[in-house]
């Protein structure tokens, strides 16, 4: 099979990214322009600003990815782009540019689901390490700012299919990290800050009741967005809005608001706060709260995922998406999955968070199948993965 060099483009949320990947197994270049500085003052992603920043960054980012790969627009074999899920305006920037390139260059265009991209980040790196004998069934936990999904992933004759067996009923895990960091005055995005501060607190200090999901999904058996799905197979849903409310109550009952406000003001005044800056502005009570929060989320993600792994008797576990960068999550998964005798694979940290290498990697099986997108396809903000 001849090599295929695919240019991937990703603009679904707050990162403009482009990458060149050879045949889904070798990362040739990977460029990510983060918009964190733009959104930071608002404590979260502002969709209009995201679109504007993507417009500004898309051409230089693609040029840089090609240059670093020693490729040209003409020398790549196909162009892959994220179709959804994500912010509609942000997705449209990447899609419009990818379409224009594909049309002008007369190259195949491949539309990729962002969540499938996260799963293929793991595959790309395992292949790159020489691990070609992946054992099925695979259970993939996609855990990011917008999603907490469990998929059974299968490959048949080169084509991948996915069955959703769990999703969050309310907040995604990454969203909980972001919201809790915001309400503790730690800024945006919350995950990386909480990750670093958690080792300085006592994770047993504050107890949170584990999320109880007793009632069946009120929206019926669906994919999380109200679209019915057929199967009656066991489900493993998540819920993270309760813990966020518990933290809010804790802040109120311990009269922490003045300290939170002082911390927020102090950190906003520092252009790029370092660990010492965060520590200098956090008392032990807050560090204990942060550590206990992270422990609760990590234990919940690991327990539910491993219960699903047991139920479906999977051979391999993938953990991917922005929250997969979390140190405690990785360590806990590794320890507990080993007890079950199941291998667990993560992407490297740079490929856990949003990037375009994962989009180019997920596009490769579609390239082989000639599963190309028509030039009139559009963004799908609520796109499902099947
Ligand atoms: O996959 P991603 O880059 O974008 C989405 O598709 O949403 O994930 C971003 C999310 C954010 O919520 C961020 O706080 C979280 O991933 N995150 C982390 C860490 N790094 C990023 N959460 C916990 N620990 C981390 N080290
Ligand atoms: Zn993502």
């Amino acid at each position: 099979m001849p090599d295929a060099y695919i240019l991937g483009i990703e603009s679904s949320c707050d990162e403009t990214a482009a990458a060149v990947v050879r045949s889904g197994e070798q990362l040739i270049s990977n460029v990510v322009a983060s918009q964190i500085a733009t959104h930071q003052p608002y404590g979260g992603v502002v969709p209009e600003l995201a679109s504007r920043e993507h417009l500004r960054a898309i051409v230089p980012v693609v040029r840089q990815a090609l240059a670093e790969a020693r490729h040209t627009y003409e020398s790549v074999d196909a162009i892959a782009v994220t179709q959804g899920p994500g912010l509609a305006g942000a997705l449209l920037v990447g899609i419009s540019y990818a379409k224009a390139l594909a049309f002008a260059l007369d190259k195949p265009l491949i539309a990729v689901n962002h969540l499938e991209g996260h799963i293929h980040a793991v595959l790309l790196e395992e292949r790159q390490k020489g691990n070609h004998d992946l054992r099925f069934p695979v259970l993939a936990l996609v855990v990011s700012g917008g999603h907490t999904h469990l998929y059974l992933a299968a490959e048949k004759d080169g084509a991948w299919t996915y069955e959703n067996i769990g999703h969050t009923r309310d907040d995604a895990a990454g969203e909980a990290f972001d919201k809790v960091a915001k309400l503790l005055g730690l800024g945006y995005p919350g995950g990386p800050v909480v990750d670093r501060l958690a080792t300085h607190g006592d994770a047993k200090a504050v107890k949170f009741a584990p999320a109880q999901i007793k009632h069946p999904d009120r929206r019926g058996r669906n994919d999380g967005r109200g679209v019915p799905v057929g199967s009656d197979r066991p489900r493993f849903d998540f819920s993270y809005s309760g813990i966020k409310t518990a933290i809010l109550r804790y802040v109120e009952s311990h009269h922490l608001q003045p300290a939170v406000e002082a911390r927020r003001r102090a950190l906003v005044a520092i252009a790029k706060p370092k660990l010492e800056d965060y520590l200098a502005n956090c008392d032990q009570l807050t560090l204990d709260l942060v550590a206990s929060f992270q422990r609760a989320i990590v234990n919940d993600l690991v327990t539910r995922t491993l219960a699903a792994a047991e139920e479906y008797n999977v051979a391999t576990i993938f953990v991917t998406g922005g929250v997969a960068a979390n140190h405690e999550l990785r360590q806990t998964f590794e320890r507990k999955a080993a007890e079950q005798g199941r291998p667990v694979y993560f992407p490297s940290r740079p490929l856990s968070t949003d990037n375009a290498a994962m989009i180019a990697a997920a596009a490769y099986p579609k390239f082989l199948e000639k599963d190309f997108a028509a030039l009139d396809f559009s963004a799908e903000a609520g796109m499902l993965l099947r």
Side-chain angles (χ1 to χ4, degrees), residues 174-349:
E175 195 178 352
F177 272 95
D178 294 338
K179 286 179 174 171
V180 164
K182 189 175 177 182
L183 71 87
L184 293 178
L186 293 169
Y188 165 85
V193 182
V194 170
D195 191 352
R196 285 193 292 161
L197 289 181
T199 51
H200 296 269
D202 174 5
K204 296 197 182 80
V206 187
K207 294 271 176 286
F208 298 104
Q212 301 282 335
I213 307 175
K214 290 201 185 104
H215 60 86
D217 200 330
R218 273 192 226 98
R219 294 160 297 188
R221 289 208 164 269
N222 69 64
D223 66 315
R225 293 179 186 272
V227 177
V229 289
S231 133
D232 267 340
R233 307 224 286 160
R235 294 193 59 80
F236 294 84
D237 286 348
F238 304 87
S239 166
Y240 295 116
S241 73
I243 191 165
K244 172 196 66 193
T245 312
I247 302 243
L248 183 60
R249 295 265 149 74
Y250 190 95
V251 168
E252 284 166 0
S253 60
H254 289 75
H255 309 291
L256 299 179
Q257 287 103 331
V260 165
E261 189 46 34
R263 180 181 312 124
R264 197 191 59 74
R265 275 201 304 271
L267 291 172
V268 158
I270 306 170
K272 271 197 172 169
K274 295 193 195 61
L275 179 60
E276 303 86 88
D277 299 317
Y278 287 108
L279 288 173
N281 284 286
C282 286
D283 49 35
Q284 198 54 44
L285 195 69
T286 302
L287 292 173
D288 291 349
L289 188 59
V290 163
S292 302
F293 160 75
Q294 178 172 288
R295 175 68 52 85
I297 297 263
V298 163
N299 282 347
D300 190 81
L301 285 168
V302 173
T303 306
R304 284 178 208 271
T305 303
L306 293 188
E310 200 66 46
E311 173 73 31
Y312 286 92
N313 198 18
V314 303
T316 308
I317 299 168
F318 286 6
V319 182
T320 185
V323 182
N326 187 273
H327 289 78
E328 187 176 356
L329 185 74
R330 291 166 96 103
Q331 284 157 8
T332 311
F333 255 118
E334 261 155 15
R335 199 176 65 246
K336 298 270 172 136
E339 284 167 19
Q340 274 196 353
R342 294 191 164 87
V344 55
Y345 299 129
F346 306 87
S348 62
R349 284 203 175 71

Side-chain angles (χ1 to χ4, degrees), residues 10 12 114 118 144-145 147 321-322 352-354 358:
E10 152 67 37
S12 68
H114 180 85
H118 276 302
S144 68
H147 302 92
S352 294
T353 49
D354 286 352
M358 67 187 200

Side-chain angles (χ1 to χ4, degrees), residues 10-224:
E10 152 67 37
S11 69
S12 68
C13 190
D14 58 349
E15 258 110 23
T16 318
V20 177
V21 172
R22 180 183 63 76
S23 305
E25 64 176 33
Q26 190 192 0
L27 185 67
I28 311 289
S29 69
N30 183 35
V31 178
V32 181
S34 168
Q35 302 179 1
I36 286 177
T38 305
H39 302 290
Q40 216 151 29
Y42 305 94
V45 179
V46 184
E48 292 78 4
L49 293 183
S51 308
R52 204 183 306 164
E53 289 299 306
H54 285 307
L55 272 176
R56 223 193 294 269
I58 191 102
V59 174
V61 164
V62 169
R63 278 199 186 134
Q64 190 184 338
L66 288 170
E68 287 181 10
R70 299 183 184 279
H71 267 270
T72 62
Y73 291 111
E74 288 75 20
S75 68
V76 293
D77 296 292
I79 291 140
V81 65
T82 307
Q83 181 176 12
L87 302 168
L91 289 162
L92 277 173
V93 176
I95 291 173
S96 309
Y97 186 54
K99 279 184 187 176
L101 281 181
F103 180 75
L105 300 165
D106 197 19
K107 305 266 183 202
L109 179 63
I110 300 165
V112 174
N113 184 307
H114 180 85
L115 302 172
E116 182 172 26
H118 276 302
I119 293 172
H120 282 256
V122 182
L123 290 161
L124 163 63
E125 289 190 307
E126 286 307 313
R127 291 190 186 118
Q128 191 150 280
K129 282 184 235 160
N131 179 7
H132 288 278
D133 63 348
L134 180 68
R135 289 189 302 130
F136 288 91
V138 169
L139 177 67
L141 170 67
V142 182
V143 62
S144 68
H147 302 92
T148 306
H149 283 297
L150 278 172
Y151 294 101
L152 289 172
E155 187 199 16
K156 195 159 181 275
D157 303 327
W160 284 79
T161 53
Y162 307 89
E163 177 189 352
N164 185 290
I165 58 154
H167 62 76
T168 179
R169 298 285 185 88
D170 38 56
D171 291 352
E175 195 178 352
F177 272 95
D178 294 338
K179 286 179 174 171
V180 164
K182 189 175 177 182
L183 71 87
L184 293 178
L186 293 169
Y188 165 85
V193 182
V194 170
D195 191 352
R196 285 193 292 161
L197 289 181
T199 51
H200 296 269
D202 174 5
K204 296 197 182 80
V206 187
K207 294 271 176 286
F208 298 104
Q212 301 282 335
I213 307 175
K214 290 201 185 104
H215 60 86
D217 200 330
R218 273 192 226 98
R219 294 160 297 188
R221 289 208 164 269
N222 69 64
D223 66 315

